[in-house]
Every structure is written in C-alpha cells, then in structure tokens.
Amino acid sequence: MGKRLRFKRRVLMASVSTGLLSGLVFASHAGAAQDEETNVQNLPAVEVAASPSTVRRSAPSRPVARAGASSSNRPKTRMYVYPTSPGTGRGLDVDKVPSAVNAVDANQIKRTGSLNVTDALRDNIPGVSISEVTGNPFQPNVEFRGFVASPVVGTPQGLAVYQNGVRINEAFSDAVNWDLIPTAAIRSVTLVTNNPAFGLNALGGAINLQMKDGFTYQGAELDLMGGSFGRIQGSAQWGKTVDKNYGVYAALEGLHDNGFRNFSQSDVRRFYGDVGYKAGDSEFHVNMGVAKNDFGASATVPAELLDKYWGATYTTPQTTSNRVGYLNLTAKADATPTWTLEGNAHVRRYEQKLVDGNPTDTQECTDPGLAGLLCFGDGATPANGTNGLPLANPFAAGTILGEIDRSSIRSTTFGVSGQATNTDQLLGHDNRFVLGATYDASVTRYNATAEIGSIGENYVVSGSGLFLGPTGTPDTGLAGPVSLRTVNQYNGLYAMDTFNVTDAFAITGGGRFNVARISLEDQLGTALNGDHTFTRFNPVIGGTYKITPELTAYAGYSEANRVPTPLELGCADPNNPCLIAAFLVSDPPLKQVVSKTVEAGLRGSKELNIGTLGWKIGGFRATNYDDILAVPVPGRTGFGYFSNVGRTRRQGLEAEINIKSPTLQFQASYAFVDARFLDALTLGSNSPFADGDGNIQVSPGNQIPAIPRHRIKVGVDYAVTDLWKVGGNAIFVSSQYIVGDESNQYAKLPSYTVFNLHTSYQVTKNFQLYGRVDNVFDKRYATYGTFFDTGALPNFTTGTGFNDPRSLSPARPRAFYAGMRVTF
C-alpha cells in the first residue's frame, strides 16, 4: 500500500494505491518563506495519527476508545487526502475517492502571476473554461462541465464555492464574486465532483478553497509586479508559529489596472488573517477577511464597434463596487482515537453597488393627447415619476434617450456547522464514517432605481435627475424603484461512509438532505411578497478498485439540487418581465433544479527517469431536471424573466497527463463537453432567425450556448539552471453558440488559441525577478457572445444602424508584466 523511507529517524508514508502519488515530500529547512511542496496531483501531504490497526495488526478488529484518550502519542504517518465534505478537517484518502480528482496548489497559483485564482483554475484543471462576460478579468464566469459559477447577478449558478468550509455563493443570487477571494492566502484548491455533501448549487461540483495559516506557512514574502495597461499590483504575506502552539498568518493584496477598454479601470484591495492554536489533538482558528474592490466596463460590446476599436464600450457608465467582511471560527478535536469532531461558526457582510447605463423604452410620447410627456415604447403609455405622476419631457426634440439603472445588494449571513468523523473498523474492515449538519441564514436588502438620461455619440448616458416610478400598468414591465427584503434559511444534514471491502476495493455511500426556505418581503407594495420552501434528499454511491499498485478505477452516481434564488423568484412572470439584475416585478413559483450525475474513469502514475508521471481519464453524464434559464423579452433591451425549461444534459470526457520533478513540470489535458436541451422550448430572442413574435423554437438535441465542446491545454515549466526557470502554456477553446441562439441557427463564436510565456531568475536565495507575456501573438478573440437589439441605438461610428446582431466580450490583447519577489 505504500513506500517507506527512514530519514533522520522520521518515518514518512505516502499512499500510492491510486498510482497517482509516488515519491515522498520532505519539508524544506530553508529559512526563506515558501509554499508547501505537493505530489503529482498537486495535493499537500497531511500528518495523521496511524490507526491502531495500521500500527499493530494484532490489535482487536474494533479498537476501543477510552475517554480522554489522546492520539498524540501514536505514530504519525503522512498521507494525501481529498475533501469529501465541506469541513476543514482531513479528507478521505485519495485512493478511495470515487470521482475525478482535480487540485491546484499554491505554487501553481503563484506561477500565474495573477491575483485572480480563476486564472490558475483555467490553466490547470481540465474542463475549466473562463469567459469574461462582464468585460473585466477579475469578474469572470468559471465554467466546468457546462456548469457555471459567475459574478453576474441573474446567471443560473451550477457550482458551489467554499472557503475554509464556508459556502460563499452570495445569498441573493448565488453569484460568486471571485475578486473577493484573497488569492495569495490560498493553500490549495480542489474541484470536488459527484458529491452532494457540498449542498446547494453543487450540480457540476464544488470548488473548495483551503486557506493558509501559521502552521502551514512560515516566513514572509513581498511580491510586486507591473506592466501593460497601467497594471500595478502587490501582495505581502507573513506566517509564524509561536511556541509550537500558536500560529499567526496575514496576507495583504492590492492592484490597480487601467484596462484595455474605455472606462475599464480596476482597483482591488484585500486582507486575510488567521490566528490558530494547537494543543494535543485539538486545533482552533479565528480567521477574518475584508475586501474593497471597484470595477468599470462590465458588459458586452456590439461586434461592429469592436471592428473599429478593440477597446470600445457600449452604454456607459458601467461600474461595480464590491465590499465584504467576514469572520470565521473553527474548532477541531480528536475526542477519542477514532472520533474527530469539528465545528464552524461564521458571519459575513456583503455589499454590492451597480451603476449601469442602458438603452431605454422611455421615449417622447407620440399620442397627441400626451404631448410634452414621456411614454413607454408604445408611445401611448405615460411613464410616471416616483411621485406617481406622469413625467414631463425636458429633452430637446431628437434627443436619444437612455437609462441609468442603479441597484444595491446588502446581505448579512450567519451560519454554523458541525461534523463528526469516525474511523473505527467495521466487521473487521477499515471504515470511515462522516456525519455533518449545516445551518445558514441570510438577510438581504435589495434596492433599484432607474434614471432617465440622454446618450451621446460616445454611448455615455448622462443623467437628468428624472427617476421612473410605478406605471400602474403591469404589462409594460415595471421599471420603477424596487425595495425588497429577503430571508434565506438553508439547512443541511449529510452522512458519508467509505468501507474497505478489501485492501483494493472500497465503496462509498451516503447522501444529504437539504431544506431551503426563502421569504420575499416587498417594501413598496405586495407584488413581490412570497414564501417558498424546498426540500430534497440527494444520494451518492460509488467505489474504487486498485487494479494494480499504479492503476485505479473509480465510478459513482450522485444527485444534487439548487433552489431558485430570491432574484429568480422575484422575476419569473413571462407576462410581467423585469430588467434582469435590476428590477423585480412579481413572485410566481419556480421549481428547484435537480441534477443526476454518473461518472467513471481510470487514474494512475509511474516513476520515470525524468520524474513522476501521472495520468487520468474519465467520463461523466449529468442530466438536469427543471433547469432554470433567463429568458429575454424581444425588443426590450435587458428585460426578461426566469423560467423552468425542462431537461438539459451535459456529458463528456476529460483526460490529463502530467510529469512532475524538481527540473520539469509538464501538463497536457483535453476535455470534451456536450451540452444539450432535451425538451422542446419556445424562447424569446433577439436572434435574426426569430419569428414575428420574437421567438425561436428550440428542439430536443440543440446545443446549449456558451459552452465550448473542446478544450485543450498544454503547459511546461523547465529549470534551465538551478536559478533560471522558463515556461509557457497554450490553451485552445473550440467554437460555441452565442447566447440567444438556443435554436443553433446562427454562426458560432469562433474558436481561439492563446499562448503565454513566463520566466523567473533567482538572483539570491531571498530575491527573485520574474516576467510574463500573456497572449504572445496578440490574438483578437471573444470569450462570450450574445444577441442585442440592433434598433435600440444608432451606430455612431457609421451614422446608420447596426447590422451585426452580435454583442461580444473581447479578450485582453498582448500584455507584458515584470515583477520581483522577496522572501524572508
């Protein structure tokens, strides 16, 4: 089952039964700070007390735990584990995980030179694809197996994200604000699939972030970098163990980037800290974080404008301000030699403010009886102000009108969780049993307003001080103010058991029961009031079999669910659409989404002269029932509603090969994702193929837009000398249908291949210079596309209307960066 090596009277043990680990990891005794070394799977080793059955085979088959007994005196072993539940404690021996294994370590994150963890996910995990829907690199969509974790409010979220055991999908919309995650403080990232223990939104999997502390990181590091588009960024981190019992860690990050697009500046400020205490078999931590980030240019751009200027924007202002503060308390203790208890209590305060310039349906009234007033698009429905009276038209004849939509989200979340893990043998066989419970409650206040303004030839909307109020005509789609209070209560109870039938064969079974209650309280009326309760039990079963010491097979089946968010519930009436992500209008019910997934594969490794070879290949199929989509309303820019659209399916293949040694690190992967609708649908769209009512007909088998079918990644890092390293990577993403073309009638968004280079030179033991070039060949490509209303505004660059119905998210042009890193 393992290889042993005696070194300075210490015994280190690494399991190799999956074939993915071989070689032992030794801690460095260098004085300078450095991140942990990891195995070929990018997992750090953990030190655990050996079970009595491991240390002494003649012991009784079921060890008896004595009250107050300590495991600290038992021999220690090192092993590689993988998370199977949200807790921060030791996971399951990676040999026994009945699903794909995907991990990124701190060194891989550092190698990207980025303060955005999503760049490391994109470069190192097969199947992960990034699209900058917002037009900003710090707020990307992360798509994996056709499921998305996005910062864009209103995007159906199919991935759960955890930080130190706490779910950080935001309460109001399940959105994931990647910019709020302190990247320098991340110890490791795992993408856990086929596991319902991670609760709501884990349809495609859960991204599990474990953070550094004073026990896992010692020393200090200062990192400064600058380069293209006015980029200046820096990070500092420090960790220390005091008297062997206390650990202190802190990380501070800052960034300014002007962006390559007009009005696309970014400012990122983050802090993370952790204070820990260890005593015998107990460990306690208090960690906290704050962030204050501001971004511009947060929307797609008509393709015709990009043809003229790659840095163009469309209808500004577009600004996002994110603020967060959180405090987590964690505790873990070995109650007996075979029982480990852990708990978590956390509080999180999140605020977001959006300012978004848009075209508007409010125009000068054409009805002679309403002369001098402002009306909605039909020209005969007066637009009211906040006082309920019709708005007088203060604009000169021929003025092109626009709208500045402002919204704010203020959420406070409190939660507690507990987990117990038992490793007693069962019927004379090794067994691991986990039982856990979670409770989270969130209160959110959401407000939105719309100010009428004029649009200039640079597409900048200038406000007039006129704010829209309720129109009294629901079927016009209310564009007036919104004030909403929502309460989310999420409860979960989960159990998982892994039983070793033989040394080679292990089976895992269990499940999670979720209860979600969502209440909506309209602060201006009653239209948004609602109270919704959803329940669901999600099972999991799987197994692993060690065919040879270097080859393991796995297979598993699981179910997961996500419940409609308060945003989706507040905008689900097709007869009363709302401005998605800004205005809510009514509260009809939606069904929860249920996903049923099966996956299987092989993984293995082999020692070569040039290093450790690791490889894996696997397939998956996930079927969603009552999937939820945002459905646009044709001819009304930005307006739409959320709807259950029946069944969808995502299936595919993932394969990876990598080599890891002190001199060479090589990785190549391929992922295939086939995502399709399984039921016939009628959807609104701005597609040029829409019928007279603005609808398209989606047939069973049509591909789901914005999900490329093929992704190929190749990366290499080579130590030319002990001091000089060079490396690079290439990423290919195939073509994809654009959003709004669910009927698959329009030309696809073209495929693209991007090449990146990086290098570093260790000037002294504590001082390093490094540089990188992104998009070496200056490829101009788009990562996301959708249709827009070509008649909403004129094309000021040509003086005529728009002919191309596509609106795209342009990727960053070639960029050069250089930096230095100092360690102490």
Side-chain angles (χ1 to χ4, degrees):
M1 293 286 293
K3 296 182 179 180
R4 296 194 184 115
L5 179 65
R6 296 191 178 273
F7 179 72
K8 293 185 178 181
R9 299 182 180 179
R10 295 182 66 192
V11 179
L12 303 180
M13 185 158 73
S15 169
V16 295
S17 58
T18 59
L20 284 175
L21 342 157
S22 56
L24 303 175
V25 178
F26 297 93
S28 170
H29 298 284
Q34 58 181 311
D35 291 304
E36 298 170 284
E37 295 186 50
T38 56
N39 66 352
V40 75
Q41 293 167 290
N42 308 312
L43 296 171
V46 297
E47 190 175 70
V48 297
S51 65
S53 61
T54 300
V55 177
R56 188 179 61 191
R57 290 294 180 183
S58 60
S61 61
R62 185 179 179 89
V64 178
R66 293 174 297 166
S70 172
S71 61
S72 60
N73 295 325
R74 287 186 275 141
K76 302 290 185 179
T77 70
R78 278 182 176 257
M79 64 187 302
Y80 299 97
V81 299
Y82 199 70
T84 57
S85 58
T88 59
R90 178 171 68 87
L92 176 66
D93 185 345
V94 73
D95 300 350
K96 311 300 181 183
V97 175
S99 64
V101 171
N102 297 293
V104 176
D105 64 27
N107 286 304
Q108 290 173 304
I109 296 173
K110 182 183 295 184
R111 199 175 303 137
T112 66
S114 171
L115 291 185
N116 193 346
V117 66
T118 59
D119 290 341
L121 297 178
R122 175 201 61 201
D123 292 350
N124 296 285
I125 294 183
V128 169
S129 179
I130 300 296
S131 57
E132 296 179 7
V133 178
T134 66
N136 190 290
F138 302 98
Q139 294 184 298
N141 277 16
V142 173
E143 181 260 309
F144 174 71
R145 294 185 175 181
F147 296 92
V148 175
S150 170
V152 179
V153 175
T155 300
Q157 309 285 341
L159 297 172
V161 181
Y162 283 79
Q163 179 180 320
N164 267 2
V166 177
R167 182 174 175 269
I168 59 173
N169 295 73
E170 303 298 350
F172 185 64
S173 64
D174 287 337
V176 179
N177 289 291
W178 300 103
D179 63 283
L180 300 178
I181 298 173
T183 303
I186 296 174
R187 181 190 181 196
S188 66
V189 185
T190 49
L191 207 170
V192 183
T193 63
N194 211 35
N195 190 334
F198 284 86
L200 299 176
N201 294 96
L203 307 182
I207 297 174
N208 188 47
L209 302 127
Q210 292 297 322
M211 313 304 287
K212 298 173 184 174
D213 57 46
F215 300 117
T216 60
Y217 183 93
Q218 289 90 40
E221 178 185 274
L222 178 65
D223 192 329
L224 299 174
M225 191 187 83
S228 299
F229 310 115
R231 170 74 64 89
I232 301 174
Q233 71 178 49
S235 66
Q237 57 180 323
W238 172 78
K240 184 177 180 62
T241 301
V242 182
D243 297 331
K244 297 184 180 180
N245 296 111
Y246 294 91
V248 182
Y249 175 83
L252 181 67
E253 299 171 304
L255 175 145
H256 174 78
D257 190 304
N258 291 329
F260 72 96
R261 299 172 61 186
N262 297 334
F263 316 111
S264 63
Q265 70 284 346
S266 301
D267 290 287
V268 175
R269 292 146 294 212
R270 299 188 293 234
F271 172 80
Y272 177 84
D274 181 280
V275 177
Y277 173 74
K278 279 185 177 181
D281 300 313
S282 302
E283 186 170 347
F284 305 88
H285 286 270
V286 178
N287 55 73
M288 59 83 66
V290 293
K292 181 181 179 182
N293 303 334
D294 298 287
F295 306 104
S298 57
T300 59
V301 184
E304 290 179 60
L305 295 183
L306 292 177
D307 289 339
K308 298 289 185 180
Y309 174 49
W310 196 246
T313 53
Y314 181 68
T315 62
T316 56
Q318 299 166 0
T319 62
T320 302
S321 296
N322 288 335
R323 308 287 186 266
V324 75
Y326 52 88
L327 177 69
N328 302 330
L329 307 177
T330 64
K332 181 176 62 175
D334 289 344
T336 73
T338 57
W339 277 99
T340 299
L341 305 178
E342 60 181 287
N344 176 295
H346 60 272
V347 62
R348 176 182 177 92
R349 174 69 174 182
Y350 165 70
E351 296 184 1
Q352 181 181 72
K353 294 182 179 179
L354 300 177
V355 179
D356 187 13
N358 287 301
T360 183
D361 280 338
T362 306
Q363 305 293 338
E364 182 179 0
C365 293
T366 57
D367 188 327
L370 300 173
L373 300 178
L374 291 175
C375 285
F376 281 101
D378 60 2
T381 302
N384 292 342
T386 54
N387 59 2
L389 300 177
L391 285 173
N393 180 13
F395 301 102
T399 301
I400 299 175
L401 300 187
E403 183 175 304
I404 300 178
D405 298 308
R406 297 178 176 88
S407 63
S408 66
I409 300 172
R410 303 189 307 277
S411 295
T412 301
T413 300
F414 168 79
V416 294
S417 65
Q419 180 175 294
T421 303
N422 177 259
T423 55
D424 279 323
Q425 288 194 338
L426 180 64
L427 303 176
H429 295 259
D430 287 344
N431 188 75
R432 180 177 182 270
F433 173 72
V434 177
L435 178 67
T438 65
Y439 172 78
D440 289 279
S442 302
V443 177
T444 300
R445 292 190 177 273
Y446 176 84
N447 293 280
T449 62
E451 180 185 7
I452 299 300
S454 59
I455 297 182
E457 293 188 0
N458 57 356
Y459 294 101
V460 174
V461 183
S462 301
S464 65
L466 296 179
F467 287 83
L468 290 174
T471 66
T473 310
D475 59 4
T476 64
L478 183 63
V482 174
S483 182
L484 177 68
R485 180 180 185 269
T486 68
V487 179
N488 304 30
Q489 297 182 68
Y490 297 152
N491 301 271
L493 178 65
Y494 60 89
M496 303 280 288
D497 189 87
T498 299
F499 178 74
N500 291 358
V501 180
T502 68
D503 287 344
F505 179 42
I507 57 174
T508 296
R512 174 168 174 142
F513 183 70
N514 293 320
V515 179
R517 181 179 178 183
I518 301 173
S519 300
L520 285 76
E521 303 170 6
D522 195 333
Q523 306 297 290
L524 300 178
T526 60
L528 294 175
N529 288 347
D531 198 327
H532 309 266
T533 300
F534 304 90
T535 61
R536 171 75 184 176
F537 176 75
N538 296 314
V540 60
I541 187 168
T544 60
Y545 184 72
K546 184 183 66 175
I547 301 171
T548 72
E550 297 178 337
L551 176 63
T552 294
Y554 67 87
Y557 169 83
S558 70
E559 298 179 8
N561 72 305
R562 86 168 183 90
V563 300
T565 66
L567 170 65
E568 292 169 337
L569 290 168
C571 182
D573 187 351
N575 296 316
N576 197 8
C578 60
L579 187 62
I580 291 178
F583 297 106
L584 310 181
V585 289
S586 60
D587 180 47
L590 289 170
K591 299 177 182 178
Q592 62 183 328
V593 182
V594 175
S595 184
K596 300 181 179 181
T597 301
V598 60
E599 69 173 285
L602 298 166
R603 53 186 178 234
S605 78
K606 187 175 182 62
E607 285 297 327
L608 304 176
N609 292 334
I610 59 174
T612 303
L613 170 70
W615 63 271
K616 59 185 178 183
I617 184 170
F620 66 92
R621 171 179 282 194
T623 302
N624 283 8
Y625 296 83
D626 296 314
D627 215 348
I628 295 176
L629 288 183
V631 181
V633 174
R636 304 200 63 192
T637 301
F639 276 81
Y641 60 94
F642 295 95
S643 177
N644 292 110
V645 294
R647 299 171 302 152
T648 60
R649 184 180 64 208
R650 296 154 178 85
Q651 60 185 355
L653 174 74
E654 298 161 349
E656 181 182 31
I657 184 171
N658 61 347
I659 297 174
K660 195 167 189 177
S661 75
T663 303
L664 174 67
Q665 295 190 51
F666 172 81
Q667 177 183 358
S669 67
Y670 168 74
F672 169 73
V673 180
D674 178 65
R676 299 180 183 273
F677 295 98
L678 298 183
D679 294 318
L681 301 168
T682 298
L683 298 177
S685 175
N686 285 310
S687 168
F689 293 96
D691 60 23
D693 295 324
N695 295 320
I696 57 174
Q697 303 301 319
V698 181
S699 301
N702 282 151
Q703 295 180 35
I704 301 175
I707 302 176
R709 289 166 63 82
H710 306 280
R711 308 110 190 264
I712 300 174
K713 305 174 185 180
V714 179
V716 62
D717 283 87
Y718 179 68
V720 181
T721 69
D722 290 341
L723 304 177
W724 180 31
K725 295 181 180 180
V726 297
N729 70 317
I731 300 174
F732 167 80
V733 177
S734 69
S735 59
Q736 55 190 286
Y737 287 105
I738 67 175
V739 173
D741 189 27
E742 286 79 6
S743 58
N744 299 171
Q745 294 173 280
Y746 200 82
K748 289 184 177 181
L749 192 67
S751 62
Y752 59 88
T753 304
V754 182
F755 295 86
N756 309 299
L757 296 174
H758 56 262
T759 185
S760 66
Y761 186 80
Q762 199 71 34
V763 181
T764 69
K765 177 182 177 181
N766 301 91
F767 181 65
Q768 181 187 91
L769 295 174
Y770 65 89
R772 79 178 216 250
V773 183
D774 292 346
N775 194 359
V776 173
F777 299 108
D778 202 20
K779 175 76 171 179
R780 300 300 169 95
Y781 63 97
T783 60
Y784 177 89
T786 185
F787 292 126
F788 77 110
D789 183 359
T790 56
L793 294 174
N795 184 343
F796 292 122
T797 64
T798 63
T800 60
F802 287 99
N803 296 312
D804 191 330
R806 298 175 303 157
S807 188
L808 309 176
S809 290
R812 288 171 78 87
R814 180 170 50 221
F816 300 88
Y817 303 101
M820 66 176 187
R821 187 174 293 123
V822 183
T823 57
F824 307 94

